[in-house]
Amino acid sequence: MQKITEKVYIIQPILTPNYKTLHEEAVSLIDSADASYCGTSYQTIKEINPATFIGSGKLAEIKQRLEGLDNITILFNGELSPSQTLNISAALDGRKVIDRTTLILDIFAKNAISSEGKIQVELAQLKYIYPRLKGKGASLSRLGGGIGSRGPGETQLETDRRHIRFRIKYLEGKLKETETRRALQTERRAKDKVCVIALVGYTNTGKSTLLNLVTGSAVLSKDALFATLDPTARKFTIDGVEFLMVDTVGFLQALPTSIIEAFKSTLESALNCDLALFVADGTNDYDMQFKTTLDTLTELGFNKPYLKVINKCENINDFSVFGKDCICISAKENLGIDKLKREIIKTFNDRFVVCQLFIPYEKLSNYSAIAKYAYEKTRDYCDEGLKINATIHNSHLQLFKDYII
């Protein structure tokens, strides 16, 4: 039996000058949700209508435009209150109405793989659904199929508000456990002086592709919004120094505060990193992408050093259009990666000392006990002992005082 693709019609309010970019993102979000875009109505908003946001006249026009078309879902490309959602639906002959948050949460539910990711998605969905049960009865089954029904909506786990409150409390407890584990993991990394580099930035800018290239891993990488939801950590080395690179969920313009808050534990890896790489798409509005990334992280208390990385530069000939503080690369074509690595190592230069060690053979067993704290570049076996060129973290330098030449 052939699967019927859900068709989505956009209502695009014009509230800010960047409404065209928001509309383009909405079309991409629809595609990422495995639905198809079928048209848009634009409406300049001078004053928000508390009942329907855009006013009855525009809704009557949209209703007439959609007459005779079945199975059309309406996406309001903004955030609606529960009553506004119900009123718009009623004005459009009971058609299913979703807002931008519902669509993003649906994509998250589709892409969540880890248990933590699934918990965060379900928790965010339930908190969003809870106040929107009014007028639908208590059953979540009234949400229907298609976008907005993945996760708890389609499993019908909760049948009334009391059960939803219980489920939310349970999921918050489970999430607290994962946050505790993540905090212990962060403490261990700090104790072992592991340098953590977080890949952060706009969604679909090639962060996962960059992670795969630098670390030699095979993390899912595809041309879709929010393809990577769960944080992924992989080790790699530069000049013998070991680093840990962490890929995180991407950002988007007007990403609802509720979603940012729901995925705060996932973003802990970015907040606790030693260096962040802000990755932007050089073929798009990279300034806006950098600003969105920094603003979102600042809201969460981010205060770490960062490098600006412009990706997808394989077909760009003039890099002078970018700022001098930007590093231009192509993760897809392996261009500019050596320069990126040099800039990374330069950031950590004050933490490490490059030195030469000499270990007499009779002291090899003593050296073996501390060898894990030295990043060895070369080893030469001489008549009286071992000569090693190494890079050592400042905090561990005292351990090697007897062997430094």
Side-chain angles (χ1 to χ4, degrees):
M1 184 176 177
Q2 189 175 4
K3 183 182 176 182
I4 299 174
T5 302
E6 187 172 3
K7 290 177 283 199
V8 181
Y9 186 88
I10 299 174
I11 297 177
Q12 177 63 59
I14 301 176
L15 291 161
T16 57
N18 67 337
Y19 73 93
K20 289 183 179 178
T21 304
L22 290 170
H23 179 263
E24 289 171 5
E25 290 176 357
V27 174
S28 296
L29 286 167
I30 290 167
D31 183 60
S32 296
D34 296 329
S36 65
Y37 163 67
C38 66
T40 301
S41 283
Y42 294 90
Q43 179 62 34
T44 301
I45 306 293
K46 294 181 180 177
E47 187 175 341
I48 295 174
N49 186 309
T52 56
F53 204 105
I54 62 172
S56 56
K58 189 64 178 182
L59 285 173
E61 178 190 315
I62 295 170
K63 177 184 174 181
Q64 187 175 14
R65 186 178 296 183
L66 297 178
E67 276 183 6
L69 299 175
D70 297 325
N71 302 317
I72 300 287
T73 294
I74 308 300
L75 167 64
F76 183 87
N77 195 21
E79 194 158 356
L80 295 173
S81 70
S83 60
Q84 287 170 339
T85 303
L86 293 170
N87 291 337
I88 292 174
S89 177
L92 299 177
D93 291 332
R95 293 181 187 274
K96 184 170 78 167
V97 176
I98 61 173
D99 63 8
R100 187 179 174 91
T101 302
T102 304
L103 179 57
I104 292 172
L105 284 172
D106 186 83
I107 296 168
F108 281 4
K110 172 173 167 275
N111 293 339
I113 297 173
S114 72
S115 58
E116 182 182 3
K118 290 176 180 177
I119 288 171
Q120 289 177 113
V121 170
E122 185 178 353
L123 185 58
Q125 285 182 320
L126 289 175
K127 285 183 174 181
Y128 195 70
I129 288 169
Y130 183 76
R132 286 162 172 76
L133 293 177
K134 182 181 177 182
K136 296 183 180 182
S139 175
L140 289 181
S141 63
R142 292 295 300 276
L143 289 172
I147 293 173
S149 66
R150 276 185 272 247
E154 67 180 3
T155 57
Q156 300 179 28
L157 291 175
E158 284 69 41
T159 56
D160 57 33
R161 298 173 75 88
R162 180 175 59 82
H163 288 148
I164 291 180
R165 286 198 300 268
F166 176 81
R167 183 69 179 169
I168 287 174
K169 187 175 180 181
Y170 169 77
L171 291 172
E172 285 177 337
K174 295 291 287 183
L175 198 56
K176 200 72 178 174
E177 291 175 13
T178 64
E179 289 173 357
T180 301
R181 285 198 297 270
R182 195 184 296 280
L184 290 172
Q185 191 178 51
T186 301
E187 285 178 20
R188 280 199 303 271
R189 288 172 181 170
K191 186 178 179 181
D192 294 338
K193 306 303 177 187
V194 176
C195 298
V196 179
I197 299 172
L199 290 172
V200 294
Y202 224 64
T203 183
N204 201 28
T205 54
K207 296 187 298 297
S208 296
T209 303
L210 179 57
L211 176 79
N212 288 337
L213 177 64
V214 172
T215 67
S217 54
V219 174
L220 173 66
S221 172
K222 60 188 289 191
D223 186 16
L225 301 187
F226 300 118
T228 303
L229 181 62
D230 300 303
T232 306
R234 296 289 185 272
K235 291 181 179 180
F236 74 105
T237 59
I238 304 177
D239 294 341
V241 179
E242 188 173 84
F243 295 93
L244 188 71
M245 183 171 280
V246 183
D247 190 10
T248 61
V249 63
F251 301 127
L252 204 63
Q253 275 193 101
L255 198 61
T257 305
S258 58
I259 291 180
I260 296 172
E261 188 61 33
F263 286 85
K264 189 173 181 179
S265 65
T266 296
L267 293 169
E268 288 290 326
S269 52
L271 301 180
N272 295 319
C273 70
D274 297 288
L275 173 69
L277 301 184
F278 285 11
V279 184
D281 180 350
T283 65
N284 217 310
D285 188 347
Y286 53 90
D287 279 334
M288 176 272 294
Q289 293 173 21
F290 283 141
K291 185 179 185 305
T292 300
T293 299
L294 187 57
D295 288 349
T296 305
L297 286 174
T298 301
E299 280 182 36
L300 297 172
F302 176 80
N303 59 358
K304 303 294 183 179
Y306 62 88
L307 297 175
K308 289 182 176 180
V309 181
I310 305 279
N311 192 23
K312 303 186 181 182
C313 292
E314 59 268 23
N315 296 316
I316 297 174
N317 298 318
D318 182 13
F319 293 157
S320 64
V321 295
F322 306 115
K324 291 182 179 179
D325 58 340
C326 294
I327 305 163
C328 298
I329 69 164
S330 169
K332 181 181 176 182
E333 301 296 334
N334 194 7
L335 300 173
I337 304 302
D338 287 340
K339 181 181 178 182
L340 174 60
K341 288 180 176 179
R342 287 196 301 272
E343 292 300 322
I344 290 173
I345 245 337
K346 192 186 296 182
T347 305
F348 291 97
N349 268 347
D350 62 337
R351 299 193 188 191
F352 295 93
V353 173
V354 177
C355 56
Q356 191 174 61
L357 307 176
F358 178 76
I359 300 96
Y361 287 124
E362 63 270 18
K363 296 287 184 69
L364 274 180
S365 59
N366 295 337
Y367 173 74
S368 298
I370 59 173
K372 65 179 180 179
Y373 299 116
Y375 300 103
E376 297 183 8
K377 294 182 180 179
T378 62
R379 270 191 173 206
D380 292 317
Y381 291 90
C382 308
D383 292 337
E384 298 176 352
L386 188 61
K387 281 187 177 179
I388 298 173
N389 287 313
T391 303
I392 301 171
H393 196 283
N394 285 335
S395 61
H396 294 140
L397 204 58
Q398 188 65 17
L399 298 173
F400 298 89
K401 61 180 175 50
D402 294 334
Y403 309 117
I404 295 175
I405 298 176

